[in-house]
Amino acid sequence: MSTDAPDLTNDGARSFRGIAFKTFFAVCAFLSILTTLAIIGTLLYDAVDFFAAVPPLEFLTGTEWTPSNEVYGVWPLISGTLIITFGSAAIALPIGLLTAIYLSEYATERRRAYLKPALEVLTGVPTVVYGYFALVYVTPVLDRILPLGTFNALSASIMVGIMIIPMVSSISEDAMSSVPDSLRQASYGLGATKFTVSTSVVVPAALSGILSSYILALSRAIGETMIVAIAAGMTPRMIDLTDPGGMFLESVQTMTAAMVQIGASDVVGQSTEYKSLFAVGLTLFVITFAMNLFSEWVSSRYREVYR
């Protein structure tokens, strides 16, 4: 009669692999945090020097941005960024949500398997291609209808909106697909139509994921660079809310476009104008970071837990 001895060799190997993978993942997480801290440190290092020359209150409340004249008011850049974000949101949020509803509730498994990857291909298109497409094709078409200039906020908003549609639709569809079928079946048992179930049951149940997709998509729009630099132009101006048409029909400059302009110019490396690039970058970082934190709060606040 023989007794099987425990295989200590295999147990030791499995234990070693577990420790190795755990250490590897911990290092990756640490590197991610370290990279973020390095970015913040780099921005702060030069931004502090900039704010030593330009008072922070003047920078944050100024309504004129003319670095060549040593005038650094960031509000024209913020207003240009917000108008692009608002225009792209008006396109991407409803279309993305409706697309998510179709993929989750109406499309067959076979059709979803083709449509969702095809839609997500849009996220792989280089943004410089979107920018040139807006400048060469979208603007001339719109110019036949509206009095547009060569550079304008409308065509840039349209292309940024198209670019972030997959983010809204993909995250929202994942949230809707996670809603238990028992909720749908209960609604059907009460005589509800598919449209009613989709809009009155599934969408409210997946609200946290949908809102998170909205905020993350807007954060992506705020940080977009090449589309706005190519299609929207380089004209920093305050947006006139009393002229809704003029907001989109004229050239604007976003924070990212201003950073491109400063970085590509012949400014001296240690000049105030050069260091304004880091002040604008820090402002943009704070805005997007706050939006991501808000997205996490919304997701946790409105998350539905099912058993």
Side-chain angles (χ1 to χ4, degrees):
M1 181 177 180
S2 62
T3 304
D4 294 334
D7 193 345
L8 299 179
T9 303
N10 289 338
D11 289 344
R14 282 195 295 268
S15 177
F16 175 77
R17 286 196 298 268
I19 295 174
F21 281 122
K22 181 180 179 179
T23 303
F24 174 73
F25 295 143
V27 170
C28 290
F30 177 75
L31 287 177
S32 300
I33 298 173
L34 186 63
T35 302
T36 303
L37 293 177
I39 292 172
I40 296 173
T42 302
L43 292 174
L44 284 174
Y45 181 79
D46 286 290
V48 168
D49 289 341
F50 171 81
F51 288 125
V54 179
L57 186 62
E58 177 184 331
F59 175 76
L60 295 173
T61 60
T63 58
E64 183 180 352
W65 177 266
T66 313
S68 58
N69 295 333
E70 298 293 324
V71 179
Y72 301 98
V74 77
W75 267 106
L77 305 181
I78 293 178
S79 63
T81 301
L82 292 179
I83 197 62
I84 295 293
T85 304
F86 176 81
S88 61
I91 295 171
L93 301 191
I95 295 178
L97 178 59
L98 293 174
T99 303
I101 292 174
Y102 173 76
L103 291 175
S104 174
E105 304 303 314
Y106 289 89
T108 62
E109 290 293 335
R110 178 185 177 87
R111 191 167 297 175
R112 187 185 301 113
Y114 288 102
L115 289 179
K116 190 171 182 179
L119 183 65
E120 292 176 349
V121 167
L122 291 175
T123 60
V125 177
T127 56
V128 66
V129 175
Y130 282 117
Y132 277 109
F133 187 85
L135 181 64
V136 176
Y137 294 101
V138 177
T139 296
V141 171
L142 294 176
D143 191 43
R144 299 174 185 174
I145 306 171
L146 300 169
L148 294 176
T150 302
F151 304 102
N152 59 86
L154 182 59
S155 59
S157 298
I158 291 174
M159 295 313 299
V160 173
I162 293 174
M163 181 193 67
I164 63 176
I165 284 176
M167 180 177 292
V168 177
S169 61
S170 180
I171 298 177
S172 297
E173 194 270 334
D174 290 339
M176 293 179 192
S177 297
S178 65
V179 175
D181 283 337
S182 59
L183 295 181
R184 297 179 176 86
Q185 298 304 324
S187 300
Y188 289 137
L190 295 174
T193 63
K194 196 174 191 63
F195 178 80
T196 302
V197 172
S198 300
T199 56
S200 300
V201 177
V202 177
V203 170
L207 186 61
S208 64
I210 294 172
L211 293 179
S212 295
S213 73
Y214 283 180
I215 298 171
L216 292 175
L218 294 182
S219 297
R220 178 70 177 85
I222 289 175
E224 173 51 37
T225 303
M226 293 310 300
I227 296 177
V228 294
I230 295 173
M234 298 285 184
T235 307
R237 63 184 179 90
M238 289 295 296
I239 300 300
D240 185 4
L241 296 178
T242 63
D243 183 19
M247 289 193 299
F248 289 98
L249 302 183
E250 300 176 9
S251 174
V252 298
Q253 187 175 44
T254 64
M255 289 186 283
T256 52
M259 294 171 66
V260 170
Q261 186 180 35
I262 295 171
S265 63
D266 297 328
V267 298
V268 180
Q270 296 301 316
S271 65
T272 303
E273 182 177 354
Y274 174 76
K275 291 183 178 180
S276 68
L277 184 155
F278 295 91
V280 174
L282 182 62
T283 305
L284 181 61
F285 178 85
V286 170
I287 292 174
T288 54
F289 184 70
M291 293 187 67
N292 288 336
L293 288 180
F294 182 66
S295 172
E296 290 294 328
W297 177 83
V298 168
S299 179
S300 61
R301 172 66 178 79
Y302 296 99
R303 180 181 290 117
E304 297 286 349
V305 179
Y306 301 101
R307 294 181 179 178

